[in-house]
Amino acid sequence: ATRMAMAQTAKNLRASDVLDAVDVTVLPASAGGVVVRVGGEDRGNQVVRAGLRVDNERNAQGSIQLAELDLFNSGVTVGATLNGGARNAFLGTSITAPRILGSFWTATATAYTSFRNVYIYTPSPEATRTRPLRLREDAFSEDRWGLRVSAGRQVSRQGVMLAEFRYEDQRYRDRSQRPAPPYTALGTLKGLVRWDDRDRDDFPTRGTAFDASLEGSLIGLSRGIGFTKLMLSYQGTQSITRNIALTPALLLGAADRTLPGAELFSLGGQDSFFGMREDEERGRQIVVGRLEARWRLPFRLFFDTYVSARYDLGAIWANPENIKVEKLQHGVGLTVGFDTPVGPALFSVGRRFYFLTNPNSVALG
């Protein structure tokens, strides 16, 4: 038990983002017993982080983050973040007060502006009943600027509970519309519970990630727009053998028919649903279940290499009255992943299909 407690302590120190090269050594004491020596190096207070993502939906995206981790030796963190590319961008600055008065409570305030382009898909002239081909017809943009203030506390090292107030001006507009429509004010309150004890973010071998949130608009700050939005997501990973891991996952989302366009759920994309493009379908209710089996190859192709097979089942609906079980779609696909030193490189191929009746058939997307 003592050995496990020491291992957990070392793990917590390494995860604190305060110390680097943490080392725990157990030495025999001259008078009997042992001496536990803990060493580490201060990581410094100023941090610069840079990132890059390349995919075939949004092409190249870059990011840079600047942060002061201990402003005036107060423990307060301030930072600025810029990320995005030609089809999306985010610029924000934040201030965080961790461990308020020595407690586990934390507060954060973030001011931001952002835009995100969303393609609109329509049936292709060549589409048939069993070949539902789609074309990119137009592009909309989600534009925002505003302020988020959140407060909460940690639950162990893996969990957090938060309450968040958001006030922003937003619009969901056709990019070809001239002149552009005005922004609309929106104020919301949100409660969030998050748990993540996975052993790693990319290619985990064990652990659970769980998110639950409930958000409602404040009518007095939202020009009479009232809505409630619920989201639940779960992902659990279990190793079957040394090199094979199984990951079931579930996503549920529901909202009122008054949900604004900029708040809609999206379905499609490599991380969402195989065989569909990113944002191919949008709506106010969503359900997606998936099961993934991932195999780490016994040899390396320059890096640790993984092959995974995934099955998706789900749908998205515009409004509650449209919900029908027979509208559920299926997706299957294969992914080859490389765990490179600068992040994961993933290559996937997938196919969407669903069943038809009268007469019975299968539609291949």
Side-chain angles (χ1 to χ4, degrees):
T2 302
R3 181 180 299 177
M4 292 179 61
M6 290 175 56
Q8 186 62 44
T9 298
K11 181 179 178 181
N12 292 344
L13 288 172
R14 294 187 181 101
S16 66
D17 288 333
V18 176
L19 298 175
D20 200 4
V22 174
D23 182 49
V24 179
T25 306
V26 180
L27 302 172
S30 57
V34 297
V35 174
V36 179
R37 180 176 297 165
V38 181
E41 298 178 4
D42 191 342
R43 289 188 175 183
N45 295 335
Q46 289 80 37
V47 173
V48 178
R49 296 186 178 98
L52 176 68
R53 177 184 173 96
V54 179
D55 61 43
N56 65 335
E57 290 285 2
R58 298 185 178 272
N59 303 317
Q61 301 176 71
S63 69
I64 185 168
Q65 181 184 37
L66 310 176
E68 168 63 55
L69 302 181
D70 190 11
L71 184 65
F72 304 130
N73 297 317
S74 64
V76 172
T77 296
V78 295
T81 301
L82 172 63
N83 61 49
R87 293 190 55 223
N88 61 286
F90 173 90
L91 173 63
T93 180
S94 63
I95 179 169
T96 301
R99 303 295 298 268
I100 298 173
L101 299 178
S103 69
F104 285 99
W105 289 88
T106 299
T108 300
T110 303
Y112 59 91
T113 181
S114 69
F115 80 90
R116 177 176 177 268
N117 290 348
V118 178
Y119 284 123
I120 304 300
Y121 291 84
T122 58
S124 167
E126 301 176 359
T128 65
R129 183 171 182 265
T130 58
R131 290 285 292 167
L133 304 176
R134 293 174 177 172
L135 297 176
R136 284 176 170 172
E137 180 77 7
D138 200 356
F140 277 60
S141 181
E142 299 173 350
D143 304 332
R144 312 170 188 267
W145 63 274
L147 174 70
R148 296 175 184 260
V149 179
S150 63
R153 61 165 295 156
Q154 283 184 295
V155 180
S156 181
R157 283 283 176 182
Q158 292 80 28
V160 64
M161 296 187 301
L162 290 174
E164 180 185 79
F165 167 74
R166 171 171 59 124
Y167 181 81
E168 68 181 28
D169 279 348
Q170 63 171 229
R171 62 186 178 189
Y172 184 60
R173 63 182 179 92
D174 188 329
R175 295 188 64 207
S176 62
Q177 182 178 348
R178 295 292 185 273
Y183 283 87
T184 299
L186 180 70
T188 69
L189 280 178
K190 180 179 182 180
L192 181 146
V193 177
R194 175 172 295 149
W195 179 269
D196 190 347
D197 63 358
R198 294 173 298 172
D199 55 348
R200 52 188 301 186
D201 290 335
D202 304 312
F203 311 111
T205 61
R206 57 178 174 80
T208 300
F210 173 79
D211 273 56
S213 66
L214 179 63
E215 185 174 19
S217 64
L218 303 172
I219 296 179
L221 298 177
S222 305
R223 297 188 180 180
I225 299 175
F227 69 85
T228 303
K229 185 177 183 181
L230 171 69
M231 282 198 68
L232 297 171
S233 68
Y234 164 83
Q235 176 182 304
T237 300
Q238 180 65 47
S239 291
I240 305 302
T241 67
R242 181 179 178 182
N243 292 323
I244 298 177
L246 197 64
T247 301
L250 177 67
L251 170 66
L252 297 174
D256 305 319
R257 61 182 305 130
T258 52
L259 188 74
E263 302 290 318
L264 293 173
F265 300 113
S266 288
L267 184 65
Q270 184 183 45
D271 301 326
S272 172
F273 203 94
F274 270 137
M276 299 175 67
R277 302 297 298 270
E278 184 182 272
D279 302 317
E280 188 168 327
E281 295 188 5
R282 309 255 293 165
R284 295 177 175 85
Q285 283 76 39
I286 185 172
V287 57
V288 178
R290 67 173 56 97
L291 182 63
E292 180 181 35
R294 187 178 63 250
W295 175 40
R296 186 179 69 177
L297 299 184
F299 54 88
R300 305 179 75 194
L301 298 176
F302 300 104
F303 313 104
D304 285 343
T305 305
Y306 299 82
V307 176
S308 63
R310 199 179 83 203
Y311 167 68
D312 300 329
L313 173 67
I316 193 167
W317 298 275
N319 293 300
E321 59 269 23
N322 302 125
I323 296 177
K324 295 181 180 179
V325 175
E326 58 266 28
K327 295 297 184 181
L328 290 176
Q329 302 186 69
H330 306 257
V332 292
L334 295 173
T335 297
V336 177
F338 301 93
D339 190 10
T340 80
V342 295
L346 305 172
F347 302 89
S348 301
V349 58
R351 170 59 66 88
R352 171 179 64 104
F353 65 95
Y354 53 91
F355 299 101
L356 301 169
T357 57
N358 300 320
N360 294 337
S361 185
V362 177
L364 297 175

